Amino acid sequence: MENAEPSKQKAHRDRHSGRKTDKKKAKKNADGAIVENDAKQKNPKAFAFNSAIRAERRFRRKQDINTKKEHIPLVDRTPIEPPPLLVAVVGPPKVGKTTLINSLIKLFTKLPLTDIKGPVTIVTGKKRRITFVECNNDINSMIDLAKVADLALLLCDASFGFEMEVFEFLNICQVHGMPKIMGVLTHLDMIKNSKTLKTTKKTLKHRFWTEVYPGAKLFYLSGILHGEYLKNESKNLGRFISVMKFRPLQWRTTHSYLVGDRYEDLTNQELIRQNPKCDRNVALYGYVRGVPLKKENWVHIPGFGDQKIHDVSFLPDPCPLPEQLKKRALIEKEKFIYAPFSGVGGIVYDKDAVYVELGGSHSYKNREEDESNTIVANLLDVKETLDEKMKHSELQIFTGGDKLTAEDIDESDSLIAPEKNSQTHSLVDEKFKQLLKKSFEKVNAGDRIRRRVVFNDKENVDSDHDELLSDAEDLEKDNDSEVDQQDMENEESDSEKEVANSANEETDEEESEEDDVKWKDDLMKKARDSFFERHSSNQNLMKLVYGSFDNKKAMETVGMEEGSDDGIGELFKKVSRNQHEIRENKDIINLTESSLSLPWDSVMTDWTDPQKIILISNCFVTGKWKESEDASELLKLDDADLSDKDSEVFGDFEDLETGETHKAKDETGEKRKREETDKPSDTALIEKKKKLKERFDAEYDNTDKSNHYEELKMQNEKQSQLNKTVFEDMPEDMRVQIEGFRPGMYVRIEFKNVPAEFIQHFDPTYPLIIGALNMGEENIGYVNVKIKKHRWYKKILKTNDPVIISLGWRRFQTIPYYSKLEDDMKYRYLKYTPEHLACNAHFWGPITPQGTGFLALQVIQSDQEAMKHIGFRIAATGSVQELDKSTKIMKKLKLIGHPLKIYKKTAFIKGMFNSSLEVARFEGARIKTVSGIRGQIKKAVNKPEGCFRATFEDKILLSDIVFCRTWYKVDAPQFYSPVNTLLLPPDKKGFWKGLRSTGEIKRELGIRNAANQDSMYTDIEREQKPFKPLIIPNKLQKALPYKDKPKHGVKLSEMKKGVQRVSVIREPHEQKISTMMKMLRSSYDQKQSKLKEETKKRLEKHRQEIEAIEADKGKKLKQKKKEVFRRKSKAQQKEKERG
Amino acid sequence: MSVNRENVLSYKGSNFFRQRLVLSVLSGKPIFISDIRILEDEPGLREFEVSLIRLLDKITNGTTVELNETGTSVYFLPGLLYGGEVDHDCSLERGVGYYLEALVMLGLFCKQPLKATLKGVTSNNIDPSVDLVKTSMLQTMRKFILDDEGLDLKISKRGLRPLGGGEVIFKCPIRKQTRPVQLSDFGMVKRIRGTAYALRVSPAIANRMVDKAKGVLLQFIPDVYINTDQCRGKQSGKSPGFGIHLVAETTMDVCYSSEQVSNVVSIGEETSVPEDLGAAAAQRLLYEIYLGGVIDSTSQSVAILCMALGDKDVSKVVMGPLSDYSIWFLRHLREFFGITFKIQHLEDEEENTGRGCKKILLTCVGIGYTNLSKRTI
């Protein structure tokens, strides 16, 4: 009750009237905002500038912080509709990866998915799709997925702690460009004790932070309920995933790639029946990621090898984002799920078939579609169906044939004229021809479906009219000048050329006309008609350059197959292509190549002719400027700005002025311009003004211009804007040719001659990645890399031992040669990698851009036994430095020779070389003896072959060894073998076997190296060294003191040894004395020992006594103390009670 | 070596031999050219083509060339571009420009900065002369690289047909990649410059050419200045002759160039008159101005190549009508690099009479080519 009281108190109410409030209001209004620098105002001195040094430091620190924040601005190439996010779920077995995917899918789609195989794509939000992939416990899969994943969910069994796989995966990620990584701890319910749970969480978190970055997100999934993770926990995780942002990674912003989520075997069933091992034609499907995919690219499929793309086509998105955003959340209908490998996903429309997924069982009989399906396809497919193609083909063959003859007659020369129009090509002619053709078509079309004919007819009439009109306009527009030009050109060139030119134009026109008609046949493309009309001229230009433009297989396949899938367009093209070739063969093939448009000595017309002058007069600064640049025009606009009404007057005035200064020729221009400026309405003027304003702003408003960074950023932004918009209005099929298949498109890629094992041993749990290779990357050469042995790897690496390297998209086995770059830029051969240093390695491998990271493994077998003693599997990491076609590794070489004969400083050395020819190669080389005497090789001598004369800086000894230190070039072997794990049968996928190292082979065969006899341990035998007797001269002897003088008598030891003692026999009296003495001595000894014993006892006793006394004293003291403390405490208590 | 057979491009005939070799070196794709002049009296490769192969061999590492016995077919497996200092005696059948053009295209992507000394004929009628390479092609290149330090062409000696004797030193820096550009404004011609030279003939001839050329050009623009290049002794090569080279510069630093060179009397060509030559050069320059565009008609192919090789961004360049050579270059680019250009007429909203012929807008997305030879630290 008492506590509740303060909350009941009345809140303070601000006053809204009165003197003070007025004051406050005035203050507020003056600044526009609440005045926050109150303190500054009240005490301005405290905020005065007082220390220049401190200010400088402050400034510098601020700059430092700002600069640290800056990154090199990159052009943003993220597509407008990005491909689904690839989330890889990684972790050692039995940590709950499948459970996690299941619960996430259930969370997003409300559909439980059992038995997940391969990637699962789902729509999670209005602008986001996610593909989940589970990574199996194979280092190959881990490597492949690390290269493509946008986000890796790294699962860890908290009750066990981190396992090696986790760290291996983190390392793989670091090498191949770090994707986002989120740790997830599972099995937390296994830890019963709350305290241990807390500490485990903490330690694991900190370990994770050191690996990724401090503060990296680590999720805790506390337990399992009904076989699923707790709902709100997985919900949180899902939320985190769906709002995550990504940084572009270097490799992926330069390479396009696909994660295959479907495949079809397109091989003829009959061929397979005859030979089950025959090469297959395969189509793979997936979303394009990274950058646009070009059809001409080579691709690499990790685990399989390089392939040339046979064909690419884009398909409607099987898992599209919602088109219109009606509500905040997704409707159930829009929550698509697409997982063909798991048997989920709706109907898929393909180029030549419709695929209906039959739940669970995955069947690939794509050829035999029943009638109803074809009908469905007919209705739904945007492309031509087989039936239609057949009908087309008849028609096209006919017209094509016609054309063939026409072309044969007409086309006799090369394509020379760059201009589209030619004066010989009259309008009437064209019209006539077109009409002729249309009528032909009508007749032909008469046999076919009626509806079509009518349709065509109508269209033709309309478009005829339009086209003609537009053509005429076009011609008129560009030709008043151009005709002249053509005239001239034709005058210059011989008449034959002229004819050829015009002939060419004609045929081109015809071709385009044909194409137009064909397009119109198509239902879908009809909509684009108007567009094509607009761009027909451009089409023609492109056609002129690239030949038949919409034929995608232009020039590539000379030998054609009668593919039913290629339809009639193909047949028609074939004819024209042959024509092309014939033409080429005839004329151009062996002409002289020159980059000049015309040879220098070709005759020109007179450009000083007034008629011609008109054509180029405005190319010079003396001519008329563009309106946006012309000074007078700009002035006029300024005036218009000032006073809208009087603009005309001002304009006139201005004109007069310029008219005075300029020449007569200009005046006409001005007049014309005036007429025009009079005409346009206010809107045009406003438009113009706006443009000018923009230009002005761009020039002057930008205060940040000095800031290079900002400028760069702006430039990149501009470029990315341009990239996105420039091809926006092109039809998709053309755009794809120019730009490639944009990321986010769902494409189907066809491959020819794929080994049968790829299909037979296909396992969806292994990721299927199709990585495009850029120009030159399909080649092989020497790769020079910077490499460092991983500090957790137990062994050092040896030159000439094969390793498995993951570089770029590829995984391959190769033989590296390690070397160290010396200060003189020489690569010195190393037999082993240094323990804690980076070194260089050369190996024969795929050409990959510099700076690409790679990692090396020695074992990739997922053999539990082997793993146990290997521990960490990643042997080394590094990055590419240089690419070349040869290596420059030098091995140190010491040549050894022995002196044969020695004169003063000259010596003849033998045994270093085998022939005088070899010596000749080394004349003048520096040599050195073991003792460090330097010399030089002079010349070979005849007699013992290979012997030479050498001079030294000093006389050498015959026992010296002479060295010559040189370098020997070693070549790394050209061994490169891709790791083709995808082709192995499922149970052997983890046991790929490649080249074995010598050590491995020896170990397996039980071969032991024969030990070097010289290196064996033997007993040390040391001979006694006999010294010479010491002889001291007599004189010296005399001078020596006595103790140092040699004694010539018998030595004591000699005496002991040599002298034979005489036995003493005592007299009886002496005997008595000696016994007496003996007894006395023994009694004395006895007495002494007794005395000692007693003293000891006494001392012991005394000690005990003392101890007892001490103990007594201590006891008393203790009691006393106790008493004192008791009293004291009592006193205190009393005091307390009192107080 | 280890090259996929599928990757080999095969062609027929000797035409576009240089184009194909250059693109092959850049793309790393091997080519096979057959049927070279099979129907002619002298079948097979000519001396100048063999010389080109030699030159390419000098600036690359690991190139393999296989010729058949008659020289009518070549298999060319390119290596990696190496660069460095190269000394080459060019064939006298073609000008130095023929070789220089190849080097201009390749120079940027070498391992080491290129310094090539080429000896031979500096100007003739069928090749761009060294002056033109300097004014037009290098100028074009500069537009595509950020920093042009070290890009230089020095004409140390001039030499004309038939004996040659000229010498040029071409220096080219190495770059990681070319940058995408958007060039649409070509400005207006603001001045005309030029060089006239007379080798082993009367020096007055140069002045006669200059006078006549100026006479034509002054009708259009007052700012015309033509140098006379006095070459003496060894600098003037081994054969007599004269020539003129003209450059028109626009307000946007675009250069149009033209040139003329005298006929060779000793091999039976008719004598050229200096006045005619001067006038012809001026007329040709006007023709080039008429063609217009941001890129000179001679260096279209260089510009197209730089556009194609640029970063994976959109490049736009306005050109005059495409020359035959550039059309084939575009076709070859499609085969070697798989890049297709969008080619359209330039639609200018402002009326443009008297601004030459209709321009063409080339748009493309670069392939993101990077210098694979360069060493990184």
Side-chain angles (χ1 to χ4, degrees), chain A residues 1053-1071:
Chain A
S1053 56
E1054 290 288 304
M1055 280 204 302
K1056 269 181 191 164
K1057 225 193 286 169
V1059 178
Q1060 285 200 341
R1061 298 241 172 192
V1062 189
S1063 60
V1064 180
I1065 298 159
R1066 285 185 177 111
E1067 294 290 309
H1069 172 66
E1070 281 172 338
Q1071 233 169 23

Side-chain angles (χ1 to χ4, degrees), chain A residues 545 593-594 723 850 884, chain B residues 61 94 101 126 313 331 374:
Chain A
V545 173
E593 176 188 19
S594 171
N723 288 352
Q850 301 90 331
D884 213 333
Chain B
N61 180 21
R94 296 299 292 259
E101 204 181 326
I126 47 172
D313 288 318
R331 287 178 197 169
K374 202 179 158 198

Side-chain angles (χ1 to χ4, degrees), chain A residues 621 625 629, chain B residues 185-190 249-254:
Chain A
V621 278
W625 289 65
E629 285 164 352
Chain B
D185 196 359
F186 42 90
M188 298 164 121
V189 175
K190 63 176 179 188
E249 283 172 45
T250 72
T251 48
M252 299 301 289
D253 285 335
V254 177

Side-chain angles (χ1 to χ4, degrees), chain A residues 125-365:
Chain A
K126 287 174 289 183
K127 282 176 185 172
R128 181 153 281 191
R129 296 171 286 180
I130 294 181
T131 303
F132 287 106
V133 187
E134 187 183 331
C135 178
N136 54 16
N137 186 35
D138 186 340
I139 197 152
N140 294 310
S141 308
M142 273 153 65
I143 289 172
D144 291 348
L145 273 181
K147 289 172 189 174
V148 292
D150 296 307
L151 166 70
L153 291 180
L154 203 49
L155 264 67
C156 170
D157 182 350
S159 64
F160 183 85
F162 284 122
E163 290 172 60
M164 270 304 177
E165 281 83 358
V166 171
F167 289 110
E168 280 167 355
F169 185 77
L170 281 171
N171 240 293
I172 293 167
C173 285
Q174 274 165 359
V175 165
H176 292 300
M178 199 77 169
K180 281 261 166 167
I181 289 180
M182 211 146 93
V184 180
L185 293 186
T186 59
H187 294 268
L188 282 170
D189 52 342
M190 306 284 268
I191 307 168
K192 301 294 181 206
N193 189 348
S194 69
K195 211 166 196 178
T196 43
L197 179 69
K198 212 168 148 190
T199 46
T200 334
K201 271 183 181 175
K202 199 177 167 189
T203 45
L204 289 180
K205 184 173 76 183
H206 282 278
R207 191 70 196 81
F208 186 69
W209 284 3
T210 51
E211 254 349 276
V212 187
Y213 61 89
K217 190 70 204 164
L218 190 64
F219 245 93
Y220 307 116
L221 294 179
S222 54
I224 282 184
L225 201 69
H226 310 307
E228 278 171 9
Y229 291 116
L230 298 183
K231 204 174 175 188
N232 61 334
E233 279 176 349
S234 53
K235 201 177 203 171
N236 272 341
L237 180 58
R239 237 177 241 163
F240 258 95
I241 293 171
S242 50
V243 297
M244 195 159 266
K245 278 176 186 160
F246 299 95
R247 257 184 72 79
L249 303 177
Q250 173 65 29
W251 179 259
R252 293 181 213 178
T253 47
T254 49
H255 292 79
S256 60
Y257 58 98
L258 266 75
V259 177
D261 55 11
R262 198 162 87 93
Y263 77 94
E264 298 297 339
D265 187 2
L266 306 175
T267 330
N268 194 347
Q269 290 295 317
E270 181 60 16
L271 284 176
I272 296 175
R273 195 189 61 79
Q274 280 167 1
N275 176 17
K277 291 266 176 194
C278 69
D279 278 358
R280 311 290 177 87
N281 298 338
V282 175
L284 301 178
Y285 300 77
Y287 287 98
V288 179
R289 292 157 197 273
V291 288
L293 172 78
K294 286 254 167 115
K295 193 175 97 51
E296 293 79 3
N297 280 356
W298 277 69
V299 295
H300 180 84
I301 302 175
F304 168 35
D306 284 9
Q307 277 286 318
K308 192 163 174 49
I309 294 176
H310 179 250
D311 193 19
V312 187
S313 51
F314 60 89
L315 305 175
D317 202 330
C319 196
L321 287 173
E323 278 168 13
Q324 287 146 338
L325 300 172
K326 282 173 189 161
K327 287 180 183 168
R328 262 185 77 210
L330 288 178
I331 319 167
E332 287 304 306
K333 220 165 50 180
E334 291 166 343
K335 286 178 180 168
F336 283 102
I337 178 161
Y338 182 66
F341 285 142
S342 323
V344 183
I347 303 168
V348 182
Y349 308 111
D350 204 342
K351 198 170 133 194
D352 46 14
V354 180
Y355 294 98
V356 182
E357 288 296 342
L358 306 170
S361 72
H362 193 65
S363 57
Y364 1 92
K365 341 172 239 174

Side-chain angles (χ1 to χ4, degrees), chain A residues 75 77 254 291 294 296 298 308 415-416 418-420 478 481-482 485 489 537-538 541-542 544-546 549 554-555 584 588-602 604-608 613-622 624-629 672 676 691 719 722-723 726-727 730 737-739 774-776 778-780 821 825 827 844 847-850 880-886, chain B residues 1-2 4 6-7 12-19 27-29 35 37 40 61-62 80 94 98 101 111 124-128 132 180 182 185 188-190 216 219-222 251 258-260 283-284 286-287 289-290 297-298 311-314 316 321-325 327-328 330-331 334-345 349-351 353-356 358 363 365 371-377:
Chain A
V75 178
R77 298 207 181 92
T254 49
V291 288
K294 286 254 167 115
E296 293 79 3
W298 277 69
K308 192 163 174 49
L415 307 134
I416 283 171
E419 248 71 1
K420 187 196 71 165
D478 10 304
S481 63
E482 232 155 334
Q485 154 60 9
E489 265 189 3
S537 62
N538 300 338
L541 262 183
M542 291 186 82
L544 181 78
V545 173
Y546 293 120
F549 184 73
M555 322 220 184
E584 281 165 34
I588 297 181
I589 193 166
N590 281 328
L591 281 181
T592 318
E593 176 188 19
S594 171
S595 52
L596 301 179
S597 50
L598 293 167
W600 295 124
D601 51 355
S602 50
M604 288 282 130
T605 41
D606 189 13
W607 281 93
T608 46
I613 285 179
I614 293 170
L615 292 178
I616 55 168
S617 60
N618 291 336
C619 290
F620 295 88
V621 278
T622 49
K624 187 168 77 84
W625 289 65
K626 274 185 204 163
E627 275 183 33
S628 51
E629 285 164 352
R672 201 188 312 147
E676 276 170 18
K691 234 182 216 173
Q719 179 75 54
L722 183 74
N723 288 352
V726 75
F727 298 120
M730 279 180 95
Q737 293 223 5
I738 289 170
E739 213 183 2
N774 281 349
M775 199 41 65
E778 69 269 16
N779 290 340
I780 296 179
L821 186 61
M825 303 308 273
Y827 290 100
W844 183 250
I847 302 265
T848 318
Q850 301 90 331
V880 178
Q881 270 200 323
E882 193 184 13
L883 305 148
D884 213 333
K885 291 276 181 182
S886 58
Chain B
M1 258 201 301
S2 48
N4 217 321
E6 284 176 71
N7 212 2
K12 283 183 175 180
S14 69
N15 204 359
F16 309 112
F17 186 72
R18 179 184 55 183
Q19 257 185 28
S27 67
K29 283 183 181 163
D35 294 4
R37 301 196 181 89
E40 289 176 29
N61 180 21
L80 277 169
R94 296 299 292 259
Y98 178 77
E101 204 181 326
K111 194 184 282 287
N124 65 2
N125 272 330
I126 47 172
D127 289 312
L132 191 133
Q182 286 87 38
D185 196 359
M188 298 164 121
V189 175
K190 63 176 179 188
V216 175
Q219 296 178 33
F220 293 90
I221 193 161
T251 48
S258 81
E259 62 184 37
Q260 289 293 317
Q283 295 288 1
R284 183 61 185 263
L286 294 176
Y287 175 62
I289 290 169
Y290 168 76
S297 74
T298 326
D311 222 351
K312 295 204 174 194
D313 288 318
V314 171
K316 277 173 144 185
L322 291 175
S323 68
D324 193 20
Y325 187 78
I327 288 176
W328 277 94
L330 284 170
R331 287 178 197 169
R334 192 189 208 200
E335 282 156 47
F336 279 95
F337 292 114
I339 184 172
T340 311
F341 280 67
K342 185 184 177 192
I343 309 160
Q344 67 198 80
H345 287 295
E349 60 267 33
E350 293 186 52
E351 38 96 45
T353 49
R355 303 222 64 192
K358 197 152 191 194
T363 316
V365 183
N371 188 346
L372 286 174
S373 325
K374 202 179 158 198
R375 180 168 180 273
T376 56
I377 300 158

Side-chain angles (χ1 to χ4, degrees), chain B residues 222-233:
Chain B
D223 191 0
V224 180
Y225 187 82
I226 302 171
N227 252 5
T228 51
D229 189 5
Q230 304 290 0
C231 301
R232 283 183 202 161

